[in-house]
């Protein structure tokens, strides 16, 4: 399938002009309705098409789960098509509009509102009972993450909060307790000072990787009591005192000599594996499996330290969606619901990919303790934060805020000026997005 530009996707959706409101002008396929289905499919053999962006170490884990599901449900086959996330988000809307939509897909929580506004996924309120989901089984922030314009559009599979990965051997060599990672600002800065006195820069800040360093800024902003946007999602608010303090604290890691300047996330990762630094801030989906492959590495993980006045950590979530079809087949949809119910109930198996289960009965099960790193990450999930449910919000974060944070860390320039410039740019894009997605 050829790649489509964003403008071409908008045209394909039947929108007049690049800035027309996709959500407000649904294409012809928007009239399709899902039939009522039961929770277990027992009909003739059916093959489902499942799209996602699981091209790393998480892909084989999902394929193994699919094999287990098929063994228990031999009449349902699932063809999984994984492609890099940027390609997925480009091709998925085009496939829906062209009538080549998969039956279901997995996407990030911060893309759900955008997909709903584009009218390329279906509301799933009516299948909650058949899938077997209940609000009490999820943290409020997670349960609410799939609700947009009063309807539910996605089903949460997992959570992957940024956490504190620490090198036990480096801490012990510096005279620090390897079993007691710092939990607050005073303890964290004291540990970095102690490490520096032993010749170790304890926290390598990946300033040239906007995604990683930007998520650290997110966590700090929330910890300091700040917000990214106003309640309407029309204006960026990160340039307030809390944002300035968050960025200034990140700069202090370099100014104090606790982090080298001009390093990447891979630099920090390699240094950690070679006992050259002590701390990494990052998500469990990437780091647990990566670090676990280094047999000689002595490491563990805990929730992020509280640098501000309250605990908070950026988190993402993989969420299942049902793709909009030109027409729905009851058998296929029943098979989709059967698979979703099974995998969400058995999401402990997915935890081996790194993220922790979103469903609380699974998260709190004794079996999770057999995965020590994931169990330690789970200790911080009550304090996770998600991006707000605003269409196009991921674009604002990744193309405006995160590069601004990275540039300010590389230059060590005025944090207020950097954030104010980015906020002005973001507010313009937020207004444009509101018009485009029918939010104005």
């Amino acid at each position: 399938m050829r790649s489509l530009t964003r403008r071409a996707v908008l045209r394909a959706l039947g929108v007049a002009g690049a800035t027309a409101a996709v959500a407000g002008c649904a294409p012809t396929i928007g009239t399709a309705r899902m039939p009522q289905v039961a929770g277990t499919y027992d009909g003739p053999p059916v093959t489902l098409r499942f799209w996602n962006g699981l091209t790393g170490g998480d892909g084989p884990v999902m394929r193994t789960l699919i094999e287990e599901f098929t063994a228990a449900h031999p009449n349902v086959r699932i063809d999984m098509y994984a492609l890099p996330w940027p390609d997925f988000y480009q091709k998925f809307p085009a496939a829906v509009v062209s009538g080549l939509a998969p039956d279901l897909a997995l996407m990030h929580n911060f893309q759900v509102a955008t997909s709903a506004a584009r009218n390329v996924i279906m509301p799933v309120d009516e299948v909650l009972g058949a899938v077997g989901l209940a609000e009490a089984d999820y943290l409020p922030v997670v349960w609410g993450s799939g609700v947009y314009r009063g309807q539910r559009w996605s089903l949460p599979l997992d959570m992957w909060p940024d956490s504190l990965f620490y090198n036990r051997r480096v801490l012990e060599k510096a005279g620090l307790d390897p079993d007691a990672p710092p939990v607050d600002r005073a303890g964290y800065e004291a540990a970095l000072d102690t490490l520096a006195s032993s010749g170790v820069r304890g926290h390598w800040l990946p300033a040239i990787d906007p995604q990683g360093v930007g998520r650290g800024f997110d966590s700090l902003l929330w910890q300091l009591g700040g917000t990214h946007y106003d309640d309407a999602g029309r204006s960026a608010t990160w340039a307030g005192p809390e944002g300035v303090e968050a960025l200034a604290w990140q700069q202090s890691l370099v100014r104090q000599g606790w982090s080298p300047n001009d390093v990447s996330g891979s630099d920090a990762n390699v240094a950690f594996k070679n006992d050259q630094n002590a701390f990494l801030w990052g998500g469990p989906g990437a780091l647990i499996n990566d670090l676990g492959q280094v047999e000689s590495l002595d490491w563990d993980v805990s929730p992020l330290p509280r640098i501000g006045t309250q605990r908070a950590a950026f988190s993402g979530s993989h969420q299942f969606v049902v793709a909009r079809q030109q027409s729905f087949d009851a058998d296929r949809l029943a098979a989709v619901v059967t698979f979703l119910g099974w995998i969400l109930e058995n999401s402990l198996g997915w935890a081996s990919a790194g993220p922790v289960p979103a469903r609380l009965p699974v998260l709190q099960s004794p079996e999770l303790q057999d995965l020590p790193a994931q169990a330690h990450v789970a200790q911080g999930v009550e304090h996770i934060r998600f991006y707000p449910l605003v269409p196009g919000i991921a674009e604002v974060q990744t193309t405006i805020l995160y590069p601004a944070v990275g540039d300010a860390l590389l230059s060590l320039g005025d944090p207020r000026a950097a954030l104010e410039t980015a906020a002005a740019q973001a507010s313009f894009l937020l207004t444009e997005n509101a018009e485009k997605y029918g939010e104005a």
Side-chain angles (χ1 to χ4, degrees), residues 315-341:
S315 180
S317 169
H318 292 108
Q319 309 213 351
F320 287 106
V321 297
V322 175
R324 189 174 291 276
Q325 308 290 334
Q326 292 181 339
S327 62
F328 280 94
D329 178 88
D331 281 347
R332 300 181 70 84
L333 183 60
V336 168
V337 168
T338 300
F339 172 68
L340 292 175

Side-chain angles (χ1 to χ4, degrees), residues 58 160 165 215 269 282-293 353-355:
D58 46 11
W160 22 282
F165 291 79
R215 282 167 36 173
N269 189 287
L287 287 174
I288 286 179
N289 285 315
D290 183 38
L291 301 179
Q293 294 176 9

Side-chain angles (χ1 to χ4, degrees), residues 226-429:
T227 60
H228 290 76
Y229 308 99
D230 63 3
D231 292 341
R234 302 289 189 276
S235 178
T237 58
W238 59 58
E242 301 88 355
V244 173
E245 183 178 353
L247 184 49
W249 187 83
Q250 287 184 303
Q251 290 180 330
S252 74
L253 296 174
V254 177
R255 295 184 188 278
Q256 296 285 352
W258 296 330
S259 170
N261 197 3
D262 195 18
V263 297
S264 68
S266 60
D267 294 333
N269 189 287
V270 170
F272 188 92
K273 293 176 181 177
N274 287 284
D275 297 337
Q276 294 174 332
N277 69 6
F279 301 122
L280 293 175
W281 289 28
L287 287 174
I288 286 179
N289 285 315
D290 183 38
L291 301 179
Q293 294 176 9
V294 185
E295 294 184 2
S296 62
L297 188 62
D298 187 9
W299 64 279
D300 207 337
V301 58
S302 66
L304 288 183
R306 179 179 56 77
I307 304 301
T309 57
Q310 58 192 338
R311 293 183 62 187
F314 164 90
S315 180
S317 169
H318 292 108
Q319 309 213 351
F320 287 106
V321 297
V322 175
R324 189 174 291 276
Q325 308 290 334
Q326 292 181 339
S327 62
F328 280 94
D329 178 88
D331 281 347
R332 300 181 70 84
L333 183 60
V336 168
V337 168
T338 300
F339 172 68
L340 292 175
W342 182 90
I343 196 167
L344 293 173
E345 183 177 356
N346 293 275
S347 57
L348 182 65
W350 174 244
S352 63
V356 297
R359 201 169 186 177
L360 293 178
V362 181
L363 182 74
Q364 297 165 353
S365 65
E367 291 78 10
L368 187 68
Q369 302 307 312
D370 294 333
L371 299 170
Q374 287 86 338
H376 294 168
V377 169
Q379 294 172 0
V381 297
E382 292 185 2
H383 305 283
I384 63 172
R385 302 285 187 93
F386 288 162
Y387 297 158
L389 290 163
V390 176
I393 203 67
E395 178 186 16
V396 178
Q397 292 280 134
T398 59
T399 66
I400 296 179
L401 174 59
Y402 290 177
V405 170
D407 289 345
L409 294 175
L410 287 172
S411 67
L412 295 181
D414 180 11
R416 182 181 301 279
L419 293 175
E420 286 179 347
T421 298
Q425 296 170 345
S427 296
F428 178 84
L429 182 54

